[in-house]
Structure formats: structure tokens, C-alpha cells
Amino acid sequence: QRGMAVTAGPRSSELYARACRLMPAGVNSPVRAFASVGGEPIFYDRASGCRFTDADGREFIDYVGSWGPLILGHAHPAVIEAVTISAADGTSFGAPCAREIELAELVVDTVPFLEMVRFVSSGTEAVMSAVRLARGVTGRDAIVKFTGCYHGHADYLLVAAGSGLATFGTPSSAGVPESSAGHTLLLPLDDEAAFRRLMTKHGDEIAAVIIEGIPANNGLLPQSESFVDVLRTECTRHGAMLIFDEVITGFRLGPDGAAGHYGIEPDLVTYGKIIGGGMPVGAYGGKRAHMERLAPLGPVYQAGTLSGNPVAMAAGAAALRTLLADGGSTWDRLETLGARLETGLREVFTKHDHQWSVVRRGSILWLALQDGPAPVTAEDIDTGAAERYAGLHAALLERGVYLAPSAYEVIFVSAAHDEAVIDQTVAAFDEAVAEVFG
């Protein structure tokens, strides 16, 4: 594998140097720092459709899309119009407004198993609140999460993996007391037997089992229908609540997300990303009987000054209305575009004699740059794949294709991409793979 190319232009480098004096590593979220791919981060200047222009005037095809929410592309006209109109009426009320109801109706009317939702300002906040609600409903403390699944940065969800067997969690971040993770049980994905054993032993202690709808924060790790069915069955048997974290998959895989993909009904579901139309919005929801346990109707407290922010609600409603228009044909188009990119990338890898995997669900793709079957658990991922990805990432940047600066993050296709852009991307991959790997 050849060395990596320079990734940032002079203006980006200047901005990065200024940022580093003011913010840790010059960024406000760790993965933006390019630490795992080398080089300096590229600073965006403006974006439209499926492309952005950096601070040096260079244009890139964007496959990050603000980490997933921009399913319609950057600066979609309907979203921009909604934001502009709403902002002119006031940017924040801290009080009820009609736009909250409009977005809530769209979400509840679209997702068959939802009866009520509550809006928050991020996916992390949605998950924190859903876990608290599950504990309040069940009167239990323990939760189960799976290695390789990310649910935001709440203390009790930042836990390291133990062995293949369930262990009570230990923190994986400094500043998190062990006691915070002490009620979190860990299991590997795709292990029905281990999950059944855990529920047999601890089922009466467990408030909730939480899983990403389709794990997409540590590679894309689709789980079998059988495994997901076991989660549902065992939670029902032991009185635990099943929480689907659909912050990434909600409204991206279709109107009912990963739950619809698997044909199951979780007890609680968390949303983010797309339902804000690119603005900072999260939500959690479920059956009325559970949601009415929240304050002020019930004893489970959760609040937020910016929850239901009118501008963010308007953006989310515009995005969802656009997705739902024409019978949801946008999702059909996303499936077609995603399949075209998957096929093209597979052909590139085969052409250059690499037995690597392209994993796809709808408009979400992941490159597993390792031989053998595509991973379905975090433990299956070859660390050498990350080194390969770093070189490929830099070579693609030189060809105007922007992927996430981490081998463990996914590719997001938007409705603003088209067949010509997909083909241009595949051609760039062809050149990049030949250059980096010979």
C-alpha cells in the first residue's frame, strides 16, 4: 500500500491551525479530526445537492451527508424554504407551537406501532430518555447492549466489550465512573444462545434491551431475522422492554425503518438524523400507556428548553413530507442508487483481485476491506482493514470523493445523487484502488 496524499488545502490548514488553538484537536466531534485516516480535516464552505465546496474552493461528492440526516441532499429547496419561513417567525419559543404537532402527526401516522412521541434535540438525548422511561416503566435497573453498537455518549452506554460472554460493563471513556456502567450488561451481536442464557440468568433484573436497528456505527453489521426475533421473544417473556435505536435507520430504510425491515414491533424506538431535516432533532416514542409515564403525566422526568424548536420542527416536517410524497418513491430511488453503487464497487474490487466486501442495506453502505465473509459482529472486523481504508480515503479525496474519515463509518447515498454521480464515484474508486493497492 502506497503512502497517503495531502488531503487539506492551504485555507483548510489555516482554519485548522486556528481551530486547534480554540477547540480540542480543532473539532467539536472526535471523528472529524481525521485521526484514523491521517492528514488534516477539510473545512466545508458551502454545500448543495450531493456536493460540497471546501474552504479552498475544491468540490467533492459527499457520501457523509452530515452523518446521515441529509437523505434529500444538502440545502434541499423544500427544507430551506421551511426553515426560512419558520425562522422569520422566531427561532425559539421554549413553549408549545403548532409545528411540533405537525411533525408529531407525520411521525406517528407513518410508523404503525407508534402512538405517541416526544421530541428532543439529539439522538443521544433520545436514547438516554428512552432508557430512563424503560426503567421507570419496569421498575428495574439493568440494561443490555451489544458490542459494536453505539447509542450516544451517555455514561452508562460508553462501556467496553468483555469476552464473548456477558459481563457487567466497565467504562471505555475516562471521566465515566464504574458505577455509571454498573447496570449495563454486554453481549456480542448475532449470538442467540448467549442472549438466551443472559435472559435466563438476569431476565427479572433487566429493564431494557437496546440495539441499533441495523448496527451502523462500527461498520454495517446487519443481523439475522432469527436473532432479532429472539430479542423480541425473550424481552416479552421476561417483561423487559425492547428499544430499537433508529437514529440512523429511522426513515432511511423506509417509512417504518429497521423495525419494518425485520417485521417486528419494539416497545420503544429512538429517532434522530432524518426527522430533523438536517437540524438538531431527536425523538423517542412508543405506545400511549408507556409514553404517558413521562412527566408531567407520570413520574419519569425529562425536559429540554430547545425540544420542539420551531425551526427544527419545520425542517423535519418538510423533509418527511418530501420523502412521503408520490407514495414514497424516493425510497425506491434510493434503493436503486444504493444497488448501483454496491454493484460498481464490487466490480472494482473483483477487477483488482481483492476479495473485499461491500455491505449494503438500502442507501447505507460499508466497505469491509478484508477477505472472507462480511463481518456481522464487531469482533469479526479485521484491524488491518482500517489501515487499508486510510490509504483509499486519501486517494479518493484527491479524486473529489469524500467518504467518512473512519473505516468504521458508513457511506450514505442521498436522493440528490444520481446515476451519473454514482458512475463517476465508481470510476474514482477504480483509479484509487489501482493506485493505492497496485
Side-chain angles (χ1 to χ4, degrees):
Q1 179 176 328
R2 302 179 185 179
M4 291 179 289
V6 175
T7 58
R11 177 62 175 157
S12 270
S13 289
E14 176 192 344
L15 291 171
Y16 184 51
R18 288 172 56 191
C20 285
R21 292 193 294 269
L22 301 166
M23 297 173 285
V27 294
N28 285 304
S29 188
V31 75
R32 300 178 191 173
F34 275 46
S36 65
V37 293
E40 296 178 353
I42 294 174
F43 279 68
Y44 281 46
D45 186 57
R46 59 190 181 276
S48 178
C50 67
R51 301 176 188 270
F52 76 84
T53 303
D54 75 356
D56 291 279
R58 300 181 302 175
E59 188 175 84
F60 296 84
I61 302 171
D62 184 17
Y63 285 100
V64 177
S66 193
W67 305 95
L70 300 179
I71 191 170
L72 300 175
H74 292 279
H76 188 275
V79 176
I80 296 300
E81 180 183 17
V83 167
T84 302
I85 292 171
S86 181
D89 292 335
T91 58
S92 180
F93 302 146
C97 68
R99 291 187 177 97
E100 296 172 279
I101 302 170
E102 181 183 2
L103 183 54
E105 286 175 339
L106 282 168
V107 173
V108 170
D109 290 349
T110 301
V111 182
F113 54 82
L114 283 187
E115 293 178 354
M116 302 187 86
V117 295
R118 176 166 280 182
F119 294 114
V120 291
S121 297
S122 70
T124 290
E125 193 179 349
V127 171
M128 290 169 58
S129 303
V131 170
R132 181 181 299 167
L133 178 57
R135 285 170 164 162
V137 169
T138 62
R140 302 171 181 177
D141 294 331
I143 60 172
V144 177
K145 76 175 292 284
F146 298 90
T147 58
C149 286
Y150 176 72
H151 303 289
H153 55 84
D155 283 359
Y156 52 86
L157 292 170
L158 286 178
V159 294
S163 66
L165 299 177
T167 58
F168 278 97
T170 56
S172 59
S173 170
V176 178
E178 288 194 13
S179 58
S180 296
H183 293 295
T184 303
L185 286 154
L186 295 165
L187 279 176
L189 290 163
D190 195 43
D191 192 333
E192 296 177 21
F195 182 71
R196 290 184 189 277
R197 289 195 301 271
L198 172 66
M199 296 302 285
T200 298
K201 184 176 182 180
H202 293 289
D204 61 353
E205 305 169 44
I206 293 169
V209 174
I210 184 167
I211 188 170
E212 287 182 68
I214 293 178
N217 279 285
N218 193 12
L220 186 63
L221 308 173
Q223 300 298 289
S224 68
E225 290 187 13
S226 173
F227 179 69
V228 176
D229 286 343
V230 167
L231 301 186
R232 175 68 279 173
T233 299
E234 291 296 310
C235 283
T236 301
R237 177 177 291 125
H238 294 278
M241 299 188 78
L242 178 60
I243 303 175
F244 253 40
D245 178 348
E246 298 231 38
V247 168
I248 286 180
T249 52
F251 292 95
R252 178 165 279 278
L253 294 185
D256 46 6
H261 171 79
Y262 285 113
I264 71 157
E265 184 176 305
D267 297 296
L268 295 172
V269 63
T270 64
Y271 294 112
K273 310 292 185 188
I274 290 165
I275 68 162
M279 300 289 281
V281 178
Y284 60 108
K287 296 297 185 187
R288 184 177 304 275
H290 295 146
M291 296 300 290
E292 288 186 342
R293 299 295 297 275
L294 290 168
L297 294 178
V300 180
Y301 189 77
Q302 177 268 315
T305 301
L306 294 178
S307 296
N309 173 271
V311 180
M313 297 292 98
L320 290 193
R321 281 197 304 267
T322 303
L323 283 171
L324 292 165
D326 300 323
S329 61
T330 297
W331 284 298
D332 295 333
R333 172 170 170 73
L334 286 165
E335 171 65 27
T336 299
L337 292 171
R340 188 183 188 97
L341 182 57
E342 176 190 13
T343 298
L345 296 183
R346 287 184 187 277
E347 290 175 350
V348 167
F349 292 159
T350 299
K351 173 183 175 181
H352 295 284
D353 296 321
H354 297 298
Q355 304 303 310
W356 299 336
S357 298
V358 182
V359 186
R360 183 180 69 87
R361 288 296 182 273
S363 58
I364 309 172
L365 297 90
W366 179 55
L367 308 177
L369 304 183
Q370 61 189 73
D371 295 338
V376 292
T377 72
E379 293 80 4
D380 293 336
I381 299 175
D382 177 7
T383 56
E387 298 176 8
R388 299 180 194 105
Y389 182 86
L392 182 61
H393 182 268
L396 287 167
L397 284 177
E398 293 299 309
R399 290 163 174 81
V401 176
Y402 187 82
L403 302 186
S406 168
Y408 302 99
E409 299 289 349
V410 295
I411 291 168
F412 292 106
V413 176
S414 79
H417 292 83
D418 60 23
E419 288 78 4
V421 167
I422 296 297
D423 293 346
Q424 181 183 347
T425 301
V426 171
F429 263 89
D430 190 11
E431 293 180 4
V433 169
E435 175 190 308
V436 177
F437 304 104

